[in-house]
Amino acid sequence: QVQLVESGGGLVQAGGSLRLSCAALRNIFSINTMAWFRQAPGKQRELVADITTSGATFYADSVKGRFTISKDNTKNTVYLQMNSLKPEDTAVYYCNLRAYYSGNLYDYWGQGTQVTVSS
């Protein structure tokens, strides 16, 4: 069973930076996509960024140029570097791993980490 352990959330002033980490423990999937989602109060959970096994990345328009997703395959960890943070970035951020294996979909989620950006 894959376990995603998140860290790095916190309180930061607008314009500041945070780096989120997500370690995938007991990951048996060689091919997968890891992603960061976020959910603000009263809003739907939205995809922020993702990265494939090959390293291809995707970013939501709202974070392009400010956030960078990366991974360390040796540590089996994905990161989200968040720069130039804005109050509207305030949300609970969730790490996600999605994989297809033997014709089945596997979807795992981290516990969530709070990011609060003050003005």
Side-chain angles (χ1 to χ4, degrees):
Q1 180 81 190
V2 175
Q3 182 182 6
L4 303 181
V5 181
E6 301 180 31
S7 63
L11 175 64
V12 66
Q13 293 187 96
S17 299
L18 285 173
R19 188 184 72 161
L20 306 183
S21 298
C22 175
L25 308 181
R26 299 180 296 277
N27 183 17
I28 66 171
F29 304 109
S30 297
I31 301 174
N32 61 74
T33 297
M34 297 192 72
W36 289 98
F37 289 75
R38 67 186 182 187
Q39 187 167 24
K43 297 183 179 180
Q44 296 291 314
R45 185 172 297 187
E46 63 176 346
L47 175 64
V48 177
D50 64 34
I51 186 165
T52 68
T53 302
S54 66
T57 58
F58 166 85
Y59 297 94
D61 288 341
S62 60
V63 306
K64 283 182 180 177
R66 300 189 298 120
F67 291 10
T68 302
I69 189 169
S70 62
K71 61 187 177 74
D72 184 330
N73 290 324
T74 301
K75 297 180 179 179
N76 212 356
T77 299
V78 65
Y79 305 93
L80 185 68
Q81 179 66 46
M82 304 184 294
N83 298 325
S84 302
L85 282 162
K86 304 175 181 179
E88 50 263 45
D89 295 318
T90 296
V92 177
Y93 284 69
Y94 297 92
C95 180
N96 168 261
L97 183 151
R98 175 164 287 188
Y100 294 90
Y101 184 77
S102 297
N104 296 314
L105 171 67
Y106 295 86
D107 206 23
Y108 299 92
W109 293 91
Q111 79 278 12
T113 185
Q114 177 71 47
V115 171
T116 302
V117 184
S118 64
S119 59

